């Protein structure tokens, strides 16, 4: 019996069977025809080629509209509960590719209210983390003219009227069934989904016509967007389309990188020394002794170092395959692979940290509705 897994917006545990999850949620696999349309003769992002972004809702009608000249708006978000780590930026890197590929506008929602309600954090804490997280998002190179950052408590005057219309269409029994709430749940949490729905409708509201929206994000967010999609027609908005990715694994071999496991998580502000230490201790698919590994080879399929290359640091498929082959044949050992990954991460972080500093100069221009941080 495989270990039972659980994927909700607040909790991811166990060994995730992504095919089964897709079935349970009722989302659709991304097939070859869709991949061809997404590449449109150009480069297909490695996260699509490798099935990291693997499942969707209504991508076909969205692309049909795009082909007719009806551009969509991109929307994704982050619940600011701590420092940004590499697992958070993985889907953002993909969002940036979609923005460039289709030349579209983007909304990024920081849900300071959500993390206040669901975690033991003050609004001051979630508010300052929202700012820090925004710097990481901007550092990835989103077009400042085409990208707006929403902070829920700051943009409440624009969000609340739409959230109310959503709220009126969602019953307590739906919220209980979708999210597992019970009588001990605080009432803010029950309302929260409405706030996450709003950016899917804002583009239509702002333009005064039906604007398609595409939300690329982790599949753990699907429960929120099922609710969003259900209420959309009744409010006169198009249902948002979604494209979902798998969770970025942690360095300890688990299925999801998590801030609570600090030593197995690389934060965007980590020093080269910290990266060296964390990757040095990573879980690998190696053998107990060098002799045994030279003879039997290692197992890249379970190796966190290999997964890091697969998810984030080796976009070249042939190089990735070569790495796996050499490992299986015992031609490279874990120490070498770790050194190589440390180098890649540190090169990335050095540049990222520099861009993150520069982001402080543009962040004010990128706020939705011009709110002040
Ligand atoms: N609920 C998300 C989180 O906990 C934050 C979020 C808000 C989000 N809007 C989103 C994530 C849209 C993906 C897409 O991180």
């Amino acid at each position: 019996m495989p270990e039972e897994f659980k994927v909700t917006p607040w909790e991811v545990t166990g060994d995730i069977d992504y095919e089964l999850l897709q079935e349970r949620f009722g989302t659709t696999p991304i097939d070859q025809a869709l991949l061809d349309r997404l590449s449109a003769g150009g480069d297909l992002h490695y996260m699509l080629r490798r099935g990291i972004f693997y499942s969707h809702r209504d991508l076909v009608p969205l692309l049909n509209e795009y082909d007719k000249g009806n551009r969509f708006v991109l929307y994704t978000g982050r619940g600011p509960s701590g420092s940004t780590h590499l697992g958070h930026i993985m889907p953002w890197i993909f969002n940036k590719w979609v923005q460039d590929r289709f030349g579209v506008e983007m909304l990024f929602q920081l849900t300071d209210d959500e993390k206040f309600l669901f975690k033991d954090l003050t609004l001051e804490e979630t508010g300052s983390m929202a700012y820090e997280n925004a710097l990481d998002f901007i550092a990835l190179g989103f077009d400042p003219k085409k990208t707006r950052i929403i902070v829920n408590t700051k943009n409440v005057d624009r969000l609340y009227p739409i959230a109310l219309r959503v709220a009126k269409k969602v019953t307590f029994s739906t919220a209980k069934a979708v999210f597992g709430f019970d009588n001990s749940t605080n009432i803010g949490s029950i309302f929260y989904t409405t706030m996450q729905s709003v950016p899917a409708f804002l583009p239509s509201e702002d333009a005064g016509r039906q604007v398609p929206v595409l939300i690329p994000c982790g599949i753990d967010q699907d429960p929120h967007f099922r609710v969003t999609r259900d209420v959309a027609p009744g409010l006169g908005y198009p249902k948002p389309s979604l494209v979902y990715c798998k969770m970025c694994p942690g360095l300890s071999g688990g299925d999801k990188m998590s801030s609570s496991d600090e030593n197995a998580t690389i934060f965007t502000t980590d020093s080269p020394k910290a990266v060296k230490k964390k990757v040095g201790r990573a879980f690998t698919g190696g053998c107990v002794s060098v002799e045994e590994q030279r003879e039997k080879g290692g197992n890249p399929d379970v190796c966190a170092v290999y997964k890091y290359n697969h998810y984030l640091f080796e976009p070249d498929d042939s190089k990735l395959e070569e790495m796996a082959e050499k490992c299986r044949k015992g031609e490279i050992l874990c120490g070498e692979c770790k050194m190589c990954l440390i180098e890649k991460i540190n090169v990335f972080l050095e540049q990222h940290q520099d861009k993150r500093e520069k982001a402080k100069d543009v962040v004010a221009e990128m706020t939705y509705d011009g709110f002040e941080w």
Side-chain angles (χ1 to χ4, degrees), residues 290-309:
V290 171
E291 294 75 38
E292 196 185 339
Q293 188 158 344
R294 287 274 180 226
E295 194 190 318
K296 295 185 183 159
N299 180 6
D301 300 332
V302 298
C303 174
V305 174
Y306 178 76
K307 285 184 192 172
Y308 260 71
N309 280 291

Side-chain angles (χ1 to χ4, degrees), residues 9 75-79 109 111 114-115 192 196 215-217 221 224-225:
Y75 159 40
T76 201
R78 149 109 180 115
Q109 180 183 41
T111 56
E114 175 189 15
K115 296 301 160 178
Y192 167 71
Q196 186 157 330
I215 314 172
C217 65
Q221 298 298 309
H224 287 302
F225 295 122

Side-chain angles (χ1 to χ4, degrees), residues 69 146 237 256:
K146 288 186 173 161
Y237 299 121
K256 185 180 179 251

Side-chain angles (χ1 to χ4, degrees), residues 57-58 61-62 200-201 204 210-215 225-234 236-242:
R57 289 184 186 273
D58 279 347
L62 180 104
F201 303 144
S204 293
Q210 303 249 317
V211 179
V213 166
L214 175 63
I215 314 172
F225 295 122
R226 284 203 294 272
V227 173
T228 307
R229 285 169 50 86
D230 283 348
V231 302
Y237 299 121
K239 288 186 181 187
S241 299
L242 291 119

Side-chain angles (χ1 to χ4, degrees), residues 65-370:
E65 283 300 307
Y66 183 83
D67 287 346
K68 283 190 254 163
N70 192 9
R71 274 172 194 239
F72 55 89
V73 170
L74 272 171
Y75 159 40
T76 201
R78 149 109 180 115
S81 58
S83 303
T84 310
H85 60 59
L86 296 180
H88 299 130
I89 69 173
M90 187 196 88
W92 303 350
I93 291 170
F94 181 73
N95 272 276
K96 152 80 174 136
W97 178 80
V98 181
Q99 177 171 66
D100 292 347
R101 159 79 182 81
F102 293 93
V104 291
E105 291 181 10
M106 158 111 232
L107 288 175
F108 184 62
Q109 180 183 41
L110 286 156
T111 56
D112 56 341
D113 52 350
E114 175 189 15
K115 296 301 160 178
F116 167 71
L117 290 165
F118 285 89
K119 299 219 168 205
D120 187 17
L121 293 168
T122 65
L123 274 174
E124 290 71 25
E125 286 166 336
T126 61
S128 69
M129 285 164 193
Y131 178 80
E132 293 297 319
N133 295 166
L135 298 179
D136 287 298
F137 179 80
I138 295 168
L140 296 175
F142 290 92
D143 184 340
K145 289 197 190 71
K146 288 186 173 161
T147 307
R148 287 295 168 266
I149 296 166
I150 295 168
V151 174
N152 283 3
T153 61
K154 303 245 183 210
N155 289 117
V156 66
D157 52 336
R158 297 297 311 283
L159 307 183
Y160 193 53
I162 304 174
L164 279 176
R165 290 184 201 119
V166 174
K168 204 168 175 178
K169 301 253 179 227
V170 184
T171 64
F172 184 32
S173 97
T174 296
K176 282 197 280 194
V178 175
F179 300 105
F181 295 149
D182 61 31
N183 283 347
S184 71
T185 307
N186 72 59
I187 61 175
S189 298
I190 297 160
F191 181 77
Y192 167 71
T193 293
T194 66
M195 296 297 283
Q196 186 157 330
S197 294
V198 175
F201 303 144
L202 267 182
S204 293
E205 198 62 33
D206 285 348
R209 63 179 173 86
Q210 303 249 317
V211 179
V213 166
L214 175 63
I215 314 172
C217 65
I219 190 161
D220 60 322
Q221 298 298 309
D222 186 61
H224 287 302
F225 295 122
R226 284 203 294 272
V227 173
T228 307
R229 285 169 50 86
D230 283 348
V231 302
L235 296 173
Y237 299 121
K239 288 186 181 187
S241 299
L242 291 119
V243 54
Y244 288 133
C245 63
K246 299 172 181 172
M247 305 290 117
C248 185
L251 284 170
S252 57
D255 254 345
K256 185 180 179 251
M257 188 177 266
S258 162
S259 308
S260 51
D261 191 358
E262 242 182 71
N263 291 323
T265 300
I266 299 196
F267 296 97
T268 57
T269 48
D270 275 350
S271 66
K273 226 173 124 192
V275 170
K276 192 168 176 210
K277 197 161 131 198
K278 291 177 186 181
V279 175
R281 290 187 191 147
F283 178 82
T284 69
C287 300
V288 280
S289 72
V290 171
E291 294 75 38
E292 196 185 339
Q293 188 158 344
R294 287 274 180 226
E295 194 190 318
K296 295 185 183 159
N299 180 6
D301 300 332
V302 298
C303 174
V305 174
Y306 178 76
K307 285 184 192 172
Y308 260 71
N309 280 291
H310 174 87
Y311 277 84
L312 279 162
F313 288 102
E314 187 44 83
D316 183 330
D317 289 349
S318 59
K319 285 194 185 151
L320 187 71
E321 193 35 50
E322 192 187 321
M323 195 182 291
E325 268 312 297
K326 281 190 171 168
C327 170
R328 288 193 193 97
K329 288 189 194 145
E331 286 171 16
I332 31 169
L333 299 177
C334 300
E336 296 169 58
C337 278
K338 283 179 175 173
M339 287 306 287
C340 188
L341 181 64
I342 291 165
E343 173 68 16
K344 285 181 191 168
I345 295 178
N346 282 336
V347 167
F348 170 80
L349 285 186
E350 194 187 327
Q351 291 166 2
H352 182 82
Q353 287 164 8
D354 188 42
K355 291 179 198 156
R356 202 179 177 281
E357 274 310 301
K358 297 200 172 102
K360 292 177 182 165
D361 301 332
V362 287
V363 65
E365 292 160 38
M366 292 175 74
T367 58
Y368 182 78
D369 221 25

